């Protein structure tokens, strides 16, 4: 019985790495039987199709939002009086001045906190 077991193990593992080829061959056969490659390709295709559809829907929504924003800006400019526009320009100048006066560290310098 022990000799039969030893011969079985020896024939499976063989000399010179034959067992690796047998295992690889069995794996390939199982993959082909289960159509693994086709299933992977189907999943990858489905992922990219879903991604493209989501991108298209999002870009369409973003375009609609942008067009709405542009229409609102156009209407605001058309409805604005000279005084409204001057007030907007003045507010912009004040904001620019405020932002310019914010102290900023030198580029590349590190600040230590203690």
């Amino acid at each position: 019985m022990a000799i039969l077991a030893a011969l079985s193990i020896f024939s499976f593992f063989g000399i010179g790495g034959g067992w690796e080829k047998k295992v690889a061959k069995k794996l390939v056969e199982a993959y082909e039987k289960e159509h693994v490659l086709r299933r992977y390709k189907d999943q990858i295709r489905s992922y990219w199709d879903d991604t493209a559809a989501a991108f298209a829907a999002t870009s369409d929504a973003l375009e609609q939002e942008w067009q709405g924003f542009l229409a609102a800006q156009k209407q605001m400019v058309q409805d604005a009086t000279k005084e409204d526009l001057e007030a907007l320009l003045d507010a912009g100048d004040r904001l620019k001045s405020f932002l310019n006066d914010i102290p900023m560290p030198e580029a590349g310098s590190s600040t230590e906190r203690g």
Side-chain angles (χ1 to χ4, degrees), residues 3 38 106:
I3 295 174
R38 179 184 50 80
E106 293 287 327

Side-chain angles (χ1 to χ4, degrees), residues 48-93:
W48 286 114
D49 289 347
D50 292 347
T51 300
F55 179 82
T58 303
S59 71
D60 289 346
L62 185 60
E63 179 64 23
Q64 287 178 353
E65 187 177 327
W66 175 249
Q67 292 302 324
F69 173 78
L70 290 178
Q73 295 299 307
K74 182 178 179 181
Q75 190 64 46
M76 182 184 72
V77 170
Q78 288 175 346
D79 294 345
T81 65
K82 180 180 176 187
E83 291 79 21
D84 293 335
L85 295 176
E86 287 173 349
L88 284 173
L89 286 172
D90 185 50
D93 287 341

Side-chain angles (χ1 to χ4, degrees), residues 88-102:
L88 284 173
L89 286 172
D90 185 50
D93 287 341
R94 285 193 315 262
L95 177 61
K96 181 180 175 184
S97 177
F98 171 78
L99 294 174
N100 284 335
D101 291 341
I102 295 176

Side-chain angles (χ1 to χ4, degrees), residues 35-54:
H35 308 285
V36 172
L37 180 61
R38 179 184 50 80
R39 289 171 43 199
Y40 275 124
K41 286 181 177 181
D42 290 347
Q43 288 297 317
I44 291 168
R45 188 175 302 110
S46 174
Y47 170 81
W48 286 114
D49 289 347
D50 292 347
T51 300

